[in-house]
Amino acid sequence: MTDILIAHASDPHLAIDTLRIRAGDLLNKRVLSYLSWQRRRRIHRTAALQRVMEDIAAHNVDMLALTGDLTNLGLPDECAQAERWLSRLPMPVTVVPGNHDALVSSDWHATIGRWSPWMGPLPFPFVRRVGPVALIGLNSAHPTPCFNASGDIGAHQAARLAAVLEETGQQGLCRVIMIHHPPLAHLTSRRKSLRDAGRFGACIAQHGAELVLHGHTHVSTLATLPGRNGPVPVMGVASASTDTSDPARAASWNLVHVSSFMTGYRMEITRRIMLPDGKATTTPPIIFTFAASSPALSGISTP
């Protein structure tokens, strides 16, 4: 038996109060996110994020899957700050970008490309192996017009995703997809949605997967997509830095415990919620089981 612990967190929105932001940096869509940050800075707190990271570290996870929005404006200085933050985390990390990380067209190497050490071999979708788990990282974050926070994976990524899912499925691996935008229309408004969610869903229906992890909505959710041999769970998580008493939106992370057996896998997922009073609560586990000879999900049970 092999046990792998994956932590899933998202949308840390690292504070920018100590960074020098020049007026010229804001002569584009970034000005809207800067004005939004003046309001959200009272919600996204460094102390809340620190509690989440310390709680993750205390669980001795094998990997932290971070599904985007490390920044607020996607500035080079912000991406450098996020690089320093990532380098100080005491656990292995895998990252995919979020829409705030790609607000406008920017030099890859000066911005998101700084996080390449925490990604798999590019181009997207990349694959990182964690024992019997294949973390598959997609990029749904691309510059969009003002007042639009939607994303897409595009035809090229979708074709590569299909090939990756087939290859890792034939290897009997537990396939966990990381994407920033939720791949289901009802989980967010149209202007914040994954525009080609149908394309993504068709790929999962044809080729299968075991789990999809996303962020973006700042709300912890559980949904499913049709898979090749049964429903595929889709887990969203609240922002890792939100300081609120609302359990659905409070700073949280998902603990994904994958147990590998000769005959298949067992996946147990719980959510750890960091409330403003400093207390941490844990949701009841949700348990998924599936056979190694048929990698797509074959059964779901909840206690």
Side-chain angles (χ1 to χ4, degrees), residues 15 35 40 58 63 82 84 99 101 105 131 142 158-159 164 247 266 293 295:
L35 294 174
R40 292 187 296 107
M63 181 65 69
R84 294 190 294 271
N99 61 294
D101 306 320
S105 296
H142 309 286
V164 165
R266 178 183 186 273
S293 59

Side-chain angles (χ1 to χ4, degrees), residues 3 35 44 49 125 168:
D3 287 293
L35 294 174
H44 294 286
L49 176 60
T168 51

Side-chain angles (χ1 to χ4, degrees), residues 14-22 34 71-73 75-82 84:
L14 298 173
I16 60 176
D17 300 322
T18 61
L19 299 181
R20 181 186 175 191
I21 299 176
R22 296 168 289 271
Y34 180 76
T71 71
N72 296 282
L73 312 179
L75 289 167
D77 285 352
E78 277 189 285
C79 292
Q81 173 183 253
R84 294 190 294 271

Side-chain angles (χ1 to χ4, degrees), residues 189-263:
S189 64
R190 183 173 180 179
R191 74 177 188 88
K192 296 182 179 181
S193 67
L194 185 69
R195 295 189 300 275
D196 54 356
R199 174 185 282 145
F200 179 90
C203 190
I204 301 302
Q206 182 175 356
H207 304 286
E210 279 61 75
L211 178 65
V212 179
L213 302 174
H214 72 85
H216 190 51
T217 63
H218 293 197
V219 181
S220 294
T221 55
L222 169 62
T224 60
L225 276 170
R228 183 162 57 190
N229 295 315
V232 176
V234 177
M235 300 290 302
V237 69
S239 163
S241 61
T242 302
D243 190 28
T244 177
S245 57
D246 180 352
R249 294 182 175 273
S252 304
W253 64 281
N254 291 323
L255 177 61
V256 183
H257 183 177
V258 180
S259 299
S260 170
F261 299 89
M262 290 294 293
T263 55

Side-chain angles (χ1 to χ4, degrees), residues 49-83:
L49 176 60
Q50 183 65 25
R51 288 197 299 272
V52 166
M53 292 301 131
E54 289 175 353
D55 197 51
I56 292 173
H59 282 75
N60 297 314
V61 300
D62 298 290
M63 181 65 69
L64 166 59
L66 193 57
T67 49
D69 275 3
L70 281 66
T71 71
N72 296 282
L73 312 179
L75 289 167
D77 285 352
E78 277 189 285
C79 292
Q81 173 183 253
E83 179 185 13

